[in-house]
Amino acid sequence: MTTNTAPNSPQASPLAPEWLAVPEDLNVLQAPMWAAGVEKNDAGEVTIDGISVSDLKEQFGTPLFVMSESDFRSRARAFKDAFDDAFADICGGVDVYYAGKSFLCTTVAQWVAEEGLRLDTCSGGELAVAARAGIPGANLGLHGNNKSDAEINRALDMKVGRIVVDSLDELERVAKIASSRGEIAKVMLRLTPGVHAHTHEFIATAHEDQKFGLSMAEDSTEEAGLSAAEEAVAAATSYPSVELLGLHCHIGSQIFEADGFALAAEKLLGFQAAMQAKYSVILPELDLGGGYGIAYTPVDTPRPAAEIAQAMAAVVRSKCAELGIEAPRVSIEPGRAIVGSTTFTLYEVGTLKTVRVDVPGTEKGLENVTYPRRYVSVDGGMSDNARPVLYDADYSAVLASRDSDAAPQLSRVVGKHCESGDIVVRDVYLPADVAAGDLLAVPGTGAYCWALSSNYNYLARPGVVAVRDGAARLIVRGETEEDLLNRDMGVANV
């Protein structure tokens, strides 16, 4: 076999994905991946509201989630204002529920309330956070495909504004529990409209073959000719202990195209009109979910909240007019689109190594060509960002502690866990002189990173720092080894 060694030039590496271009300047922070207020100072350090990453590391350590409070509040207000404006003539505005599953703590819950949003929860634990934050029950929703009796009772105790029911079994259980308490449960029905969302299959949630929701397809129940969705409407209206508020759907996450949201809205409004005609039931609310995409890499192109709102309003307006029905009160559930880009994760570089990877040769007589790929290990990994291993999610990264005039080198940022799949950033161009002790910043880590974090290999989960007006404070304390051992009953009394 004849092997040819390619030059060490990092330009346009064949190992890089097609979408990844070599940056013209590695020292530039590329919008819109970063929060407002994140920039580089004269020394080349990444700063947030004027605070340098070296100061953050010295005060709080690494890994560290660094969040802009001002950016979070601005994005929350943008959704509320844009949707209220777009739907003002249709239904008087929109109820915006922040999807707490993306990232939730008591401080963030309070920001949500202060900016005029409501809060969507998915478990008893998230309800507990909401209660501790002082969020009124009327401003809460409870999701989940397998709510326990305890969670349903807790929701009723807190007088939550809506319980989003996911199945016929759950609807019956909610009705029985509410009846036993002599109360009425406010319920929405989560439907699966059969819309294919352009996203990863694990986060597409409106197709038939998955665990969420009530199918709108006919013959999806044992009762011939009825869909599970229609059977649920009939059942809900028959339970004295249930107040059926309306319909809900969520087609997936990290979606950039508008066509899926439009089609889902059309299907649900058509179903609402059919149920109104058949059962004389008025469904006053319609939740169109969330899932709006953000920029994880330079090629991602998220849509502004106002553009999303206007597109969705146009569909609801025209469809209601076509069907001759009064428009329901619309609600949405953005999570990632609010919190995702507010945050970056700060890491310290440890070991580095370069490997040579075979690529099929294109020249006559050459079986392969080898190209370099550098592995840059950091002090976190899949325990603070599971999305790359779960969803093949792409991220970007920058050298955060200094500027560099070194050539760009294709790199793979990896963690310190005992897994070959422990990848933080699969492909990124970083300066060739990145070395141990340097700081890297990975943008877009506000959603589903801390929320999915773990203690794999007994690593302590990082803290979360909120920065505003030049001041940084912990809103979630990082764990210590003592925290990890506190639940170990073998050493609890040592």
Side-chain angles (χ1 to χ4, degrees):
M1 179 180 69
T2 303
T3 299
N4 181 54
T5 300
N8 288 323
S9 169
Q11 301 294 321
S13 170
L15 303 179
E18 291 184 4
W19 58 263
L20 181 63
V22 180
E24 294 183 6
D25 187 346
L26 291 171
N27 300 309
V28 172
L29 302 180
Q30 299 185 56
M33 295 186 292
W34 301 87
V38 176
E39 56 189 10
K40 281 204 166 188
N41 62 18
D42 292 340
E45 273 198 85
V46 170
T47 65
I48 177 169
D49 283 4
I51 303 176
S52 69
V53 291
S54 58
D55 287 343
L56 290 169
K57 183 208 168 187
E58 182 178 358
Q59 186 174 358
F60 302 106
T62 57
L64 182 68
F65 291 106
V66 183
M67 171 186 285
S68 168
E69 176 182 345
S70 298
D71 197 61
F72 182 99
R73 289 178 178 273
S74 176
R75 293 172 190 272
R77 282 196 304 274
F79 268 94
K80 179 61 176 168
D81 293 347
F83 274 82
D84 274 347
D85 180 65
F87 282 83
D89 66 314
I90 302 173
C91 55
V94 168
D95 297 318
V96 180
Y97 283 77
Y98 170 69
K101 61 185 177 180
S102 56
F103 173 70
L104 186 63
C105 65
T106 55
T107 300
V108 163
Q110 290 165 349
W111 296 347
V112 166
E114 288 164 4
E115 298 304 330
L117 277 64
R118 303 185 182 197
L119 179 63
D120 173 61
T121 67
C122 293
S123 70
E126 290 182 0
L127 282 175
V129 173
R132 183 65 60 90
I135 309 300
N139 291 339
L140 298 174
L142 177 63
H143 269 285
N145 68 297
N146 187 29
K147 303 175 192 69
S148 67
D149 288 0
E151 287 170 330
I152 294 168
N153 274 293
R154 187 174 209 162
L156 293 172
D157 288 342
M158 294 176 66
K159 302 187 186 307
V160 300
R162 56 170 63 170
I163 299 175
V164 182
V165 167
D166 213 87
S167 65
L168 291 162
D169 285 349
E170 185 174 81
L171 176 61
E172 182 180 6
R173 188 187 314 151
V174 169
K176 285 183 176 180
I177 291 174
S179 178
S180 71
R181 296 166 56 107
E183 299 177 14
I184 296 177
K186 296 181 178 181
V187 162
M188 297 191 80
L189 300 177
R190 176 167 178 169
L191 310 188
T192 52
V195 175
H196 178 70
H198 301 287
T199 187
H200 191 284
E201 63 175 310
F202 290 171
I203 51 177
T205 56
H207 55 277
E208 293 294 329
D209 191 13
Q210 46 87 36
K211 70 175 185 175
F212 292 111
L214 293 146
S215 174
M216 295 175 69
E218 290 186 1
D219 299 322
S220 56
T221 66
E222 293 182 2
E223 188 170 338
L226 285 185
S227 67
E230 181 174 343
E231 187 173 338
V233 170
T237 55
S238 72
Y239 291 127
S241 58
V242 167
E243 178 185 353
L244 181 56
L245 298 178
L247 307 175
H248 176 286
C249 76
H250 181 67
I251 65 172
S253 299
Q254 188 57 5
I255 301 168
F256 295 104
E257 303 299 327
D259 53 350
F261 296 114
L263 182 56
E266 289 181 353
K267 285 196 169 188
L268 263 67
L269 287 168
F271 180 81
Q272 175 181 329
M275 295 302 97
Q276 183 173 323
K278 186 170 183 177
Y279 296 105
S280 299
V281 56
I282 303 298
L283 302 176
E285 297 188 27
L286 174 66
D287 192 310
L288 295 174
Y292 320 115
I294 68 166
Y296 287 110
T297 71
V299 297
D300 291 330
T301 54
R303 307 172 73 202
E307 185 179 329
I308 298 169
Q310 292 294 337
M312 293 175 66
V315 171
V316 172
R317 185 183 294 109
S318 63
K319 191 65 178 178
C320 287
E322 174 191 328
L323 295 168
I325 62 172
E326 183 177 349
R329 175 74 177 186
V330 169
S331 52
I332 59 168
E333 297 171 358
R336 181 198 318 265
I338 292 176
V339 72
S341 298
T342 68
T343 302
F344 65 84
T345 307
L346 186 64
Y347 298 103
E348 182 175 353
V349 174
T351 60
L352 299 96
K353 78 168 187 176
T354 299
V355 300
R356 304 200 72 85
V357 181
D358 287 346
V359 174
T362 57
E363 299 178 28
K364 186 176 181 179
L366 295 180
E367 294 190 15
N368 59 58
V369 183
T370 65
Y371 288 88
R373 189 202 312 277
R374 181 179 55 172
Y375 281 78
V376 180
S377 298
V378 296
D379 53 352
M382 62 191 295
S383 58
D384 58 70
N385 189 351
R387 294 188 69 254
V389 71
L390 285 178
Y391 310 128
D392 293 325
D394 290 313
Y395 283 85
S396 188
V398 299
L399 175 59
S401 48
R402 59 183 174 87
D403 274 343
S404 171
D405 58 6
Q409 184 172 351
L410 183 67
S411 303
R412 177 162 290 174
V413 181
V414 296
K416 60 181 294 173
H417 296 283
C418 294
E419 296 286 342
S420 59
D422 179 25
I423 297 170
V424 178
V425 184
R426 192 171 307 279
D427 296 288
V428 64
Y429 286 102
L430 292 172
D433 64 351
V434 166
D438 281 331
L439 299 179
L440 295 187
V442 176
T445 57
Y448 303 104
C449 290
W450 187 91
L452 287 169
S453 61
S454 74
N455 295 127
Y456 182 46
N457 290 151
Y458 260 65
L459 262 67
R461 286 177 291 186
V464 183
V465 168
V467 179
R468 184 179 184 183
D469 298 331
R473 73 187 193 280
L474 278 173
I475 59 172
V476 178
R477 175 179 62 80
E479 290 177 326
T480 65
E481 290 182 358
E482 192 63 27
D483 291 326
L484 300 181
L485 292 170
N486 275 341
R487 291 185 298 166
D488 188 332
M489 299 308 294
V491 296
N493 298 314
V494 175

